[in-house]
Amino acid sequence: MSDLHPEVEAANSRFYRAFEALDLARMEAVWSHGEHVSCVHPGWPLLAGWPAVRDSWSAIFSNTEEMRFTLSDVRVVAAREIAVVTCTENILSGVAGRIAVTSVLATNVFERSPDGWRLILHHASHVLGGG
Amino acid sequence: MSDLHPEVEAANSRFYRAFEALDLARMEAVWSHGEHVSCVHPGWPLLAGWPAVRDSWSAIFSNTEEMRFTLSDVRVVAAREIAVVTCTENILSGVAGRIAVTSVLATNVFERSPDGWRLILHHASHVLGGG
């Protein structure tokens, strides 16, 4: 199954590049748009279904000035139809004029579509007392 | 793919029953024991590889008197080899004589083995200001 890893890692990178670009159209292209998609931003409640997930990115992008990700601990488990990436997001962000550096643990689940791997779950959470 | 949902949900239930039983042998039977398994307990750093994951359950079980889960928002995405369950864990717990009720969001990833579905990732996180 390891031959799938490069394309899954590429899909994972596209997600973070879209996030850094604060570009809703690029983020829309990363995700599946089904009812089965879900998203947990750090500390947020569960968002289920594409409309709620899309609205969250729109809100985050509207309130973020800058966001730079360096990933570490990237691990991929990939099968033919579903792939799971776990990683540590080392984040440099600017919100309301304040620069912050944080570490967030993320699980990203991708589903193979005719157009390639699409994100169906992003679960991100803080380490308490860390980052 | 939906015909896989009952067996995946059953594997997910076994995980929570083992957790409630505070029974390390049952928890060991739920998990894959590979280097690719990982676990994020709420607020904890990433644990990678079975020995670290196993040690965490041993430590949690040693420090927990009681744990009762009621699951809500259970969602399953299943393919032939990998299945992903997301759910809200509504938890009644007793630690150091203190009873607490909390809500935790969880992503559980299962891998099909010759012996059935085995857990390879548990990612759990608190909702800030909630639960």
Side-chain angles (χ1 to χ4, degrees), chain A residues 12 14 36 54 60 72 81 89-90 118 120:
Chain A
N12 196 59
R14 279 195 297 277
H36 63 312
R54 182 190 180 281
I60 288 169
S72 57
E81 297 144 334
E89 305 172 350
N90 306 284
R118 289 291 177 274
I120 60 171

Side-chain angles (χ1 to χ4, degrees), chain A residues 35 75 80-81 107 123, chain B residues 35 75 80-81 107 123:
Chain A
E35 272 308 305
R75 292 156 65 96
R80 277 164 290 193
E81 297 144 334
T107 297
H123 184 169
Chain B
E35 271 309 304
R75 293 156 64 95
R80 278 164 291 192
E81 297 143 334
T107 298
H123 184 169

Side-chain angles (χ1 to χ4, degrees), chain A residues 15-120:
Chain A
F15 167 63
Y16 289 104
R17 295 298 88 76
F19 202 156
E20 287 182 335
L22 307 175
D23 183 327
L24 191 57
R26 282 174 65 179
M27 189 56 88
E28 288 175 339
V30 165
W31 283 80
S32 168
H33 296 179
E35 272 308 305
H36 63 312
V37 309
S38 56
C39 186
V40 181
H41 300 293
W44 288 40
L46 173 71
L47 304 172
W50 172 241
V53 173
R54 182 190 180 281
D55 286 352
S56 74
W57 291 115
S58 178
I60 288 169
F61 291 170
S62 297
N63 289 287
T64 304
E65 291 147 24
E66 186 169 13
M67 202 83 173
R68 290 289 173 265
F69 291 91
T70 305
L71 301 185
S72 57
D73 308 319
V74 178
R75 292 156 65 96
V76 178
V77 177
R80 277 164 290 193
E81 297 144 334
I82 295 179
V84 180
V85 180
T86 55
C87 56
T88 300
E89 305 172 350
N90 306 284
I91 308 173
L92 180 73
S93 60
V95 178
R98 194 172 60 87
I99 298 293
V101 180
T102 50
S103 287
V104 165
L105 299 177
T107 297
N108 298 320
V109 179
F110 295 86
E111 176 183 67
R112 187 196 288 279
S113 81
D115 301 320
W117 294 96
R118 289 291 177 274
L119 196 56
I120 60 171

